[in-house]
Amino acid sequence: MPNNSLLKCIVFDANGKFKKISSDIQKTQLILKHDLLPRDLRKIDKGSDDIVPSILVREHSILLNILHIRTLIKADSVVLFNYDQTFSNDQLVSNLSQRLRNVTNDKLPYEIRALETIFMNVMDNLNSEMKVQVTVVNGILKELEGHIDMTKLKYLLLVSKKLQQFQQKATLIRDLIDETLAHDDDLVALYLTDKKKGTSRVTTDHEEVELLLESYSLHCDAIVQTVENSISDVKTTEEIINIILDSNRNELMLLGLRFNIGLLSFGTLLFVAGVYGMNLENFIEEKNYWFPIVCTCSLLTCGWIFRKSMHRLGQLTRIQMTK
Amino acid sequence: MPNNSLLKCIVFDANGKFKKISSDIQKTQLILKHDLLPRDLRKIDKGSDDIVPSILVREHSILLNILHIRTLIKADSVVLFNYDQTFSNDQLVSNLSQRLRNVTNDKLPYEIRALETIFMNVMDNLNSEMKVQVTVVNGILKELEGHIDMTKLKYLLLVSKKLQQFQQKATLIRDLIDETLAHDDDLVALYLTDKKKGTSRVTTDHEEVELLLESYSLHCDAIVQTVENSISDVKTTEEIINIILDSNRNELMLLGLRFNIGLLSFGTLLFVAGVYGMNLENFIEEKNYWFPIVCTCSLLTCGWIFRKSMHRLGQLTRIQMTK
Amino acid sequence: MPNNSLLKCIVFDANGKFKKISSDIQKTQLILKHDLLPRDLRKIDKGSDDIVPSILVREHSILLNILHIRTLIKADSVVLFNYDQTFSNDQLVSNLSQRLRNVTNDKLPYEIRALETIFMNVMDNLNSEMKVQVTVVNGILKELEGHIDMTKLKYLLLVSKKLQQFQQKATLIRDLIDETLAHDDDLVALYLTDKKKGTSRVTTDHEEVELLLESYSLHCDAIVQTVENSISDVKTTEEIINIILDSNRNELMLLGLRFNIGLLSFGTLLFVAGVYGMNLENFIEEKNYWFPIVCTCSLLTCGWIFRKSMHRLGQLTRIQMTK
Amino acid sequence: MPNNSLLKCIVFDANGKFKKISSDIQKTQLILKHDLLPRDLRKIDKGSDDIVPSILVREHSILLNILHIRTLIKADSVVLFNYDQTFSNDQLVSNLSQRLRNVTNDKLPYEIRALETIFMNVMDNLNSEMKVQVTVVNGILKELEGHIDMTKLKYLLLVSKKLQQFQQKATLIRDLIDETLAHDDDLVALYLTDKKKGTSRVTTDHEEVELLLESYSLHCDAIVQTVENSISDVKTTEEIINIILDSNRNELMLLGLRFNIGLLSFGTLLFVAGVYGMNLENFIEEKNYWFPIVCTCSLLTCGWIFRKSMHRLGQLTRIQMTK
Amino acid sequence: MPNNSLLKCIVFDANGKFKKISSDIQKTQLILKHDLLPRDLRKIDKGSDDIVPSILVREHSILLNILHIRTLIKADSVVLFNYDQTFSNDQLVSNLSQRLRNVTNDKLPYEIRALETIFMNVMDNLNSEMKVQVTVVNGILKELEGHIDMTKLKYLLLVSKKLQQFQQKATLIRDLIDETLAHDDDLVALYLTDKKKGTSRVTTDHEEVELLLESYSLHCDAIVQTVENSISDVKTTEEIINIILDSNRNELMLLGLRFNIGLLSFGTLLFVAGVYGMNLENFIEEKNYWFPIVCTCSLLTCGWIFRKSMHRLGQLTRIQMTK
């Protein structure tokens, strides 16, 4: 028994005109009218958090669930679920309306035109999201090449997670299209108008819809490949950053050891000074000019060591990946 | 020869009424009555520690082994193994009883209704476990973004192991459903009532059970995809944490080297002081105002270095991944 | 031309009686009698170091090579190669003998009963090895959670290698069974008795052997899944140990830097003391009570720093993964 | 409705003569003439940034999109899109022209000769790019074996990214060829001349084109395998570099600790000197020969420690992978 | 048009007699005689650097390209390319000659005997290379268990690269055999003698060649599995070495911190000594026995610390993986 909570949807008629339906009574009628099963409604109600897209081909309808679009296509009407008035100037709605009106007198049947418009919208969405994702990833990778720091790494984490989610989404859509393409009977079953008219089609007579889906499969595959390319770039960069940080660490340790050696040598001076402290009175204390000489020499030496060290350290601090 | 240890089970009759059976004599009868093989019993006896789910379709029965459910479905009865009275108010038992009674006059045959109820229960179980797992993982990942510490990492280990076990479990169930869907003869063989009546079905006449399994396959796939998403998030976070810890380590080393340079410079002061110690008597000792000047200056310098160092160290201590 | 080196084997006759054959002459006869090819003999001679299991179905025999078992099954006899008298009280030999005698009047033909006994033995072997391996792995992982040290890590290496070898072994056996199950003609060809009698079977008439192999495939898959579970646990633990060691290292470095800061501050005291050393005579040396005050204060401070440091270090030393 | 922006292309006639076409009017005619769909044009317009290659077989034409080549093959003409006059001395254009003229009186039909020339060009391109990539990778890996430094690691990152993109590209082309080879109907559909003449071919009569594609599939597979080999070399080297850097770091730490021990021992000397400082007056100060002895000994010791340390450090600095 | 560069080859006639052919004229004749295509020659000319093996079955010949062997098999002759006189005592040549002469009156046709001999030679080659590789890998892994040092790690890199190349090679050969086995028509097409005689075979009549290839597929699979086993051992060892080096590093840092604490404590002594330096004159300087007591005590303490430190460090220096 379907739950009667509010379900907003937009219904297109055979001429592409659309109206918003959202009251309860109309909805129950709608369900009865469109042979929906209770479990279909559950899917539709779940909103847009559904990862796995699906095309369910029924006797007189196609139930499509892809990205944010939940739609029911019949031979003479299309229902877009979870859409309300605010979407009426949405691109999908206007495209659908125009394409279903069939101004160009396309020979494709009503349901295939609806399918095409929806897939075109899905591909446009995927394509623009892909462009954003890839641009963002390339940007952060380029910045990391310039300098590796914490903030950029944290941002890379965020970007990397989103990229993988997007890849999963696009891959599932491509697999869905390929799966549908692989089954001749599913392809033929998409011709709802013919089934309604009672015209029986041979299982292999589905060239238009095959060409259509093939083209979207190619398009979707191109998106998936581009994203996989980006993910592979991220992985490679991560690996090399790891090695570069390691290598940098070793150089820092080397420098530290050089300082230690410096300290040891300096210690000698200190020691001699300490020993001097007691004996100079015996030897040199009388000759006063020894004091400023020793003092100046050691101060100069220290200053020189200090400058050299700071310079060397400055070189190691900038961990850039580009020259 | 079947072992005769105690085996508790609940038997549903054709009208959905159920009774508990557990004494030895009844059990041996049960086995004879239901054409069970000794090796089936062994499987049932193993309890709920079985990883691989299975649907075995026999001549007059379906033996289902999935999650904690071990059940034998026939055309007019259902046996739930390893269930006793305490389960009589369990949701599976009550749902099965209600569905088998068929109040809504569903046209689906008895055995398909039993299958549907069991798969619905399995999906509900998987779904709630998934929600718990994903919530826990997201929680720990969010906390790790705030601060990386040992306790959280140890907890991540636990959570990560459980997540992978759950993914394995859900994937095996999805694969089982898909495997069954891929074989037309298996699907037709599920119609036990027809086989009992002697009605022969064509191999392709199995639409109801196909729709049913397809819907559960989609549902299960959505669970698997969500979990894989989570696992991929864990992996990405681990990789970035590794790089962040590395990067943090390099900064700590840099700071250490800056301290060393400070030490070297400070050493100069010490040295001069040491040299002073012997000569001041000759030069400045007479002018007492030199002592507080030198003393105050160096103390102020040290205090300033100390504050700066502690501040810089404090910045590096907090390894947060969010700004 | 077969090489005539000594080949020990046990031959079972149609009634399950077995005798040991090992002399050269008997062996050559045996080879002629059983239509073995020279290259089969080479396989048999290789001993038990063979990784890839195989089922070769010939016109009148089945040549089975699985785990340590190399056997030739005919319609009325079974030959176990590389077995000698010392094995006569081995479980496989006694089980085979009992099953071939067919006390329970099983309707399965001779060769299928032989196959079943051998697979049952193989599964028992795999199952007990799996239990040992998984227990050992869980043990070492639990110990590593308690404390990470070198000895445990080295032991993990050994255990991990063995686990992967076992997984490979079990997976190959499962794949062999699945491969056989996937070919209807192979399954039918297993019925040697029928072929001998000249009874021709339809390609799809192989239910008994299919049920049998299906059951062992499930069993073997359960073993493989359990082992993969363990391997995934090892991998996850390794990754988290890596991060924990990294995180621990950073904390050690932080502590080291705190010590350095302490050293710097302490240096101030030393410096002041050095400066004092020369001037006290002028100011405070006359007031003797200053000496014990300065002495006691600095000693107390040092003692306090020492205690705190040792305590903090002690906390970082124990790298436990459980609370 | 096709967009009418400028589209440059080269058209070959049945005798291999070619002319450049780029004006708008001719283009629209071209589209009508060649049964192109608007969405094909979109693909062609995209330029050479397309990752996924495709072979679309239409009723009277083959639309090929592979690497930088976008071409339409018909039974009596070939159109190369995105090519203009400047390409007229390009190797592909001259090869195509020569092969289509069919000087050697090849029995292959026009369209297969066009296909062969294009694939040969594609393979030549892939092959030369592979050789460059592999040479560059081997070079950088060899240099890294000699010494690991930042610049080489950064270069490895660049090279590694390009290698993976190339692998993706080559793999997609190989998969496209294999996919086409796997479908008998696609292979037969490539014979446009026969279709034009109305000669119907049996589905299995496509030996020439099969041999052709098989040969290119082998060639392409060889390229893919070589590249995967290189990628695997890069991965292995990265892993070993990581371990070598780790191992080097541990040795550096060991050396650092040895220095610390040296410092501790040296501290003893300092301490004794300090203590001496006050008491020598009582004991040895009178004997002046003690001073140069103590001084010289400690200076010699320090010098020796300094030399040894610098030498040891120098050994660890060079992290070479070859002896 | 075939290029006429020198091509050395050995030709076997129907009786297994072989002669060397290398002059240009003979070669062109050879090509005409054996229906070779120009692109086949290109493949043959490439020498032995070809990664992907292939079996090309033509109307009257089989062109085999596997490991270093490039051969053309016909119903009454075999041509080994790239072989010259110096190979005449090569094992492949002598085996081929003997097997083709067919002394044992084998019922296998000429071409199958040639195939068998070549595959046997290929398997022998793979097998000996596998044994060498696995021995070398096990050796270096065992040595790494004893002690991890740079030289061994560098050697592991070399060995690991070679192992992966070998795995790729063996896997490609196994896949080639399996691919051939999977196509009934390819198997039947191997019977050149029958095709020459005009005897037509049914597609399923290829038992001898199937048994033969099956046996080599098994053999090759065993090699692949052994190598994968080795590679997995290398991977596992690398991972554990990484963790062990990390763990060792942490222990080194702990030790370093303990030294620092020692330094701090020792600093106290120094400080007190410094303070003493000025006051002892007031208090203890009169009692001369205090000096040797303080001196001896501190020297003993230092000596004890030095010994302990060196001992502890010595323990951490040896990073062994075995007890």
Side-chain angles (χ1 to χ4, degrees), chain D residues 134-148 152 155-156 159-160 163 229-238 241 321-322, chain E residues 157 161:
Chain D
V134 168
T135 311
V136 167
V137 162
N138 286 345
I140 182 73
L141 288 185
K142 186 145 238 125
E143 278 190 44
L144 272 171
E145 280 181 19
H147 186 246
I148 300 163
K152 287 173 197 155
Y155 190 51
L156 182 65
V159 166
S160 188
L163 199 62
N229 211 333
S230 269
I231 289 179
S232 141
D233 276 6
V234 171
K235 288 258 172 294
T236 312
T237 307
E238 277 179 21
I241 283 183
M321 284 196 288
T322 53
Chain E
L157 173 62
K161 278 185 187 173

Side-chain angles (χ1 to χ4, degrees), chain A residues 215 218 222 225-226 229 232 236-237 239 244 246 250 253 257 261 264-265 268 271 275 278-279 320-321, chain D residues 39 52 150 154 160 164-165 168 238 242 245-246 248-249 253 256 263 280 291 298-299 302 306 310:
Chain A
S215 147
L218 268 177
Q225 297 293 343
T226 310
N229 211 334
S232 141
T236 312
T237 307
E239 283 161 15
I244 283 178
D246 272 25
N250 286 23
M253 292 185 78
L257 289 177
I261 292 179
L264 271 181
S265 330
T268 319
F271 167 74
V275 177
M278 57 183 169
N279 291 290
Q320 298 165 317
M321 284 197 287
Chain D
R39 69 169 165 265
V52 183
M150 216 63 81
K154 286 165 195 168
S160 188
Q164 283 179 6
Q165 277 170 20
Q168 192 189 33
E238 277 179 21
N242 249 325
L245 284 177
D246 272 26
N248 181 256
R249 192 144 57 249
M253 292 185 77
L263 223 65
L280 278 191
F291 172 65
S298 47
L299 277 174
C302 284
F306 184 76
M310 286 314 280

